[in-house]
């Protein structure tokens, strides 16, 4: 990794550690995660939708004998829900210590087989998983051949990856599909799901505006809500300008047998 890339990576890690500090450490932040949840009772800090969850389960076909890895699990709501719906064991990985702490609190009940540990998406651990998913988290880890190989190497079986990702630029294309093609792996599925991104972004901004006006009011929480309003305003402007799209992709990282 070059020096500029190291600085960029460190900056991204610091930003998101700070973001989780604001959200998980304030009344407004915790209320935001509750009100902005993509599925009632399933906290998630991002753009994942109920349709993404259904597509993930169809693609990975987990059952009680399956172990999955959630790459960039955030506060853990989606991992717990995947486990609850399918009976699968899910191990969530995230770089943020605060996100992992929040995820462990979410999974403390007996209803799901979900566990969490701090780790890197670019260097995921071997946990005996047969499949993995990454819900928008690949935007924080450069999508390249080394990343896909690293994920594929720690998975058992064909090593299927389900990913949603944001693509920026004048002609945004599916980044996971493009890199998979470079290393000779065909995408099983690649769908433009930008409409869902817009709806989630609008909802997140609406919830943050509500909490800015109504409270509860703490300095940390109000700063968190202000940042979300700004972030979502930028997202919606980029989508309208045709410079941001969201993709949903499925690949078998080891290719055909």
């Amino acid at each position: 990794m070059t020096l500029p890339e190291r600085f960029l990576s460190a900056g991204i890690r610091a930003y998101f550690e700070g973001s989780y500090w604001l959200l998980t450490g304030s009344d407004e932040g915790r209320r935001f995660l509750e009100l902005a949840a993509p599925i009632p009772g399933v906290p998630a800090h991002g753009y994942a939708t109920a349709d993404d969850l259904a597509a993930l389960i169809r693609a990975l076909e987990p059952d009680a004998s399956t172990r999955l890895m959630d790459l960039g699990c955030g506060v853990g709501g989606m991992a717990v829900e995947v486990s609850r719906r399918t009976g699968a064991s899910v191990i969530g990985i995230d770089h943020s210590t605060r996100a992992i702490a929040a995820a462990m609190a979410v999974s403390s009940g007996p209803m799901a087989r979900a566990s969490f540990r701090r780790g890197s998406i670019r260097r995921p651990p071997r946990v005996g998983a047969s499949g993995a998913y990454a819900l928008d988290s690949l935007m924080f880890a450069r999508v390249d051949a080394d990343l896909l190989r690293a994920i594929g190497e720690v998975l058992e079986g064909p090593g299927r990856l389900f990913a949603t990702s944001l693509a920026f630029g004048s002609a945004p294309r599916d980044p996971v599909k493009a890199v998979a093609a470079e290393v000779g792996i065909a995408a099983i599925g690649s769908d433009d799901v930008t409409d869902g991104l817009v709806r989630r972004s609008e909802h997140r901004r609406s919830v943050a505006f509500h909490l800015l006006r109504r409270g509860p009011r703490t300095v940390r929480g109000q700063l968190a809500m202000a940042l979300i309003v700004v972030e979502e305003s930028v997202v919606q402007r980029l989508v309208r300008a045709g410079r941001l799209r969201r993709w949903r992709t499925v690949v078998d990282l080891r290719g055909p047998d």
Side-chain angles (χ1 to χ4, degrees):
M1 184 181 292
T2 65
L3 186 60
E5 288 173 335
R6 288 196 186 100
F7 277 117
L8 178 60
S9 178
I12 290 172
R13 288 197 299 269
Y15 177 80
F16 276 90
E17 188 69 28
S19 176
Y20 283 118
W21 177 76
L22 291 170
L23 285 171
T24 64
S26 67
D27 291 338
E28 293 99 317
R30 289 185 289 270
R31 184 64 172 152
F32 173 83
L33 290 171
E34 176 186 342
L35 294 176
I39 302 162
V42 181
H45 181 32
Y47 301 112
T49 66
D51 190 50
D52 290 334
L53 178 60
L56 184 164
I57 292 172
R58 288 195 302 270
L60 300 183
E61 300 181 323
D63 58 28
S65 66
T66 304
R67 176 171 289 182
L68 298 179
M69 187 159 46
D70 182 334
L71 298 166
C73 62
V75 296
M78 294 300 278
V80 171
E81 186 66 6
V82 169
S83 179
R84 187 190 69 80
R85 291 192 184 195
T86 68
S89 171
V90 182
I91 298 176
I93 308 297
D94 202 285
H95 192 276
S96 169
T97 55
R98 295 181 185 277
I100 291 298
M104 292 175 71
V106 167
S107 65
S108 60
M111 63 180 178
R113 298 164 61 206
S115 60
F116 302 92
R117 65 172 69 175
R118 188 172 182 271
S120 168
I121 294 174
R122 293 197 68 85
R123 296 182 300 280
R126 290 186 181 275
V127 294
S130 59
Y133 62 91
L135 297 173
D136 300 325
S137 56
L138 296 186
M139 69 180 291
F140 311 120
R142 187 177 69 255
V143 179
D144 56 17
D146 288 340
L147 172 67
L148 296 189
R149 289 192 189 102
I151 297 171
E153 286 172 359
V154 301
L155 296 179
E156 300 178 353
R160 182 164 289 189
L161 171 68
F162 176 97
T164 59
S165 52
L166 301 184
F168 299 84
S170 56
R173 62 176 183 165
D174 183 337
V176 176
K177 178 182 178 181
V179 172
E182 290 175 7
V183 296
I185 300 173
I188 298 169
S190 175
D191 300 300
D192 185 330
V193 289
T194 308
D195 287 348
L197 165 66
V198 172
R199 289 192 294 271
R200 284 287 293 143
S201 177
E202 289 174 344
H203 180 57
R204 283 166 54 84
R205 187 171 68 170
S206 175
V207 170
F209 261 131
H210 169 79
L211 291 172
L212 273 173
R213 293 193 301 267
R214 301 289 182 87
R217 294 184 181 277
T218 66
V219 173
R220 187 186 296 188
Q222 292 291 288
L223 178 57
M225 296 306 102
L227 285 175
I228 289 168
V229 169
V230 171
E231 288 171 0
E232 302 310 336
S233 297
V234 171
V235 163
Q236 292 169 42
R237 180 172 294 183
L238 288 172
V239 171
R240 288 195 298 269
R243 300 187 65 85
L244 174 63
R245 307 209 65 79
R246 185 174 186 264
W247 298 89
R248 191 161 64 201
T249 319
V250 184
V251 294
D252 282 341
L253 292 176
R254 294 182 182 175
D257 294 334

